[in-house]
Amino acid sequence: MIQTERALQEVLEWGHSLTGFADEHAVEAVRGGQYILQRIDPSLHDISARTGRDPQDETLTVAFYRELALLFWLDDCNDLGLIAPEQLAAVEQALGQGVPCALPGFEGCAVLRASLAALAYDPRDYAQLLDDTRCYCAALRAGHAQAAGAGRWSYAEYLHNGIDSIAYANVFCCLSLLWGLDMATLRARPAFRQVLRLISAIGRLQNDLHGRDMDRSAGEADNAAILLLQRYPAMPVVEFLNDELAGHMRMLDRVIAKERFPAPWGPLIEAMAAIRAQYYQTSTSRYRSDATI
């Protein structure tokens, strides 16, 4: 696999063509991307004879890291207002349609989308990635608007939106695009779609539980724990959300055990389910509970 420092430099060189892009976006993308790829590396080797895609291919690896960095950047564009609303709208249009951004300062959007289109093992994955990006951007906008507005979502509405705003669908689709994981075919199976929703719900709950203190300190209301406390001040929200998380995990385990999806989906889902303990806890800035706000 590409050396960490070289990979980070390549992501930074690309990312600095995006207004508001920060070193943190690249650092966390490379760390998170390495965690995922290391967990599924044996399975990627198992399928390489079929796909011809080398798990150690540096071009593919850097493209994956850049997509992760893009997701972090888009998240902060919404939460932190890194760019003006009209700029964000143009960026979302470009990324969701796979066309150059109409405004200057965002050349990296077209560069990344063009590279992924060219690298796609299955063109269906690229079309799906555009669709997933549109869903991700819409969910970020909806969550930000709801948290800043007078109206309050129910917990069910929040979790429904949070499944898209956690961006796991983008992560999985990008992996499939680059290493031929046949996600487009698997999506036709109801059980696989159920797995995607369950692991995304798990990711959202893990993210909110892990980040609740940081979000509260930063005045961020787009968090399940904070939302529930606002509605029900006496509610034991941590216990409730941990019960919800455990229930989603049990449902996921049952589907995985019954369906036995092809490699590398088992190890990949397991890796994402374990991310709270194995990635969030060691995050240098974004996810550490003791990070400076």
Side-chain angles (χ1 to χ4, degrees):
M1 189 174 296
I2 185 173
Q3 292 292 323
T4 300
E5 288 304 316
R6 188 163 78 253
L8 180 59
Q9 187 59 37
E10 292 198 33
V11 177
L12 285 169
E13 287 175 358
W14 162 80
H16 287 159
S17 69
L18 300 174
T19 301
F21 190 89
D23 288 0
E24 175 195 306
H25 301 136
V27 170
E28 293 293 349
V30 171
R31 290 185 64 258
Q34 285 180 332
Y35 162 77
I36 294 169
L37 292 178
Q38 286 168 358
R39 290 289 299 267
I40 66 172
D41 182 70
S43 295
L44 291 181
H45 276 96
D46 289 344
I47 67 171
S48 63
R50 171 180 65 82
T51 64
R53 295 290 171 103
D54 182 358
Q56 308 297 322
D57 187 297
E58 295 189 2
T59 299
L60 303 180
T61 301
V62 170
F64 179 53
Y65 294 165
R66 286 175 174 172
E67 181 69 15
L68 296 184
L70 177 79
L71 298 174
F72 285 131
W73 174 71
L74 284 171
D75 187 25
D76 284 348
C77 283
N78 278 272
D79 289 348
L80 305 180
L82 299 180
I83 59 179
E86 63 273 15
Q87 292 176 315
L88 182 56
V91 164
E92 291 176 350
Q93 172 72 14
L95 291 170
Q97 300 298 328
V99 298
C101 185
L103 299 177
F106 304 99
E107 292 77 12
C109 295
V111 169
L112 181 57
R113 284 293 171 264
S115 70
L116 291 175
L119 291 169
Y121 181 84
D122 184 336
R124 294 178 298 172
D125 281 332
Y126 180 70
Q128 185 64 53
L129 183 68
L130 298 181
D131 185 57
D132 290 340
T133 301
R134 292 193 294 270
C135 291
Y136 176 59
C137 290
L140 289 178
R141 281 199 313 275
H144 182 69
Q146 185 279 329
R152 293 183 298 182
W153 276 341
S154 67
Y155 168 73
E157 290 170 312
Y158 172 83
L159 188 59
H160 178 77
N161 190 71
I163 285 172
D164 288 330
S165 68
I166 197 65
Y168 280 14
N170 293 68
V171 175
F172 297 147
C173 191
C174 188
L175 285 166
S176 182
L177 180 155
L178 294 169
W179 281 284
L181 308 190
D182 204 23
M183 188 173 179
T185 300
L186 288 172
R187 279 181 186 267
R189 296 170 59 176
F192 185 78
R193 296 196 298 273
Q194 183 184 10
V195 164
L196 290 182
R197 292 195 66 79
L198 285 170
I199 191 59
S200 295
I202 288 166
R204 171 48 58 200
L205 294 173
Q206 288 179 330
N207 182 285
D208 287 4
L209 280 165
H210 186 79
R212 68 187 185 279
D213 292 335
M214 288 191 295
D215 286 345
R216 185 168 53 238
S217 297
E220 172 61 62
D222 193 18
N223 180 301
I226 295 171
L227 178 146
L228 287 169
L229 277 176
Q230 288 175 340
R231 295 178 68 95
Y232 312 106
M235 182 180 183
V237 296
V238 173
E239 291 84 351
F240 171 78
L241 292 176
N242 275 317
D243 283 346
E244 287 281 286
L245 181 57
H248 279 86
M249 289 290 291
R250 288 192 295 271
M251 289 189 288
L252 177 66
D253 289 342
R254 287 195 289 268
V255 178
I256 292 292
K258 179 180 178 181
E259 294 296 326
R260 298 188 179 276
F261 296 108
W265 288 101
L268 177 55
I269 296 299
E270 290 174 1
M272 299 306 287
I275 203 167
R276 181 184 182 188
Q278 298 192 34
Y279 171 52
Y280 285 3
Q281 295 289 4
T282 58
S283 169
T284 55
S285 58
R286 194 174 190 88
Y287 295 112
R288 272 179 50 185
S289 58
D290 61 348
T292 302
I293 302 299

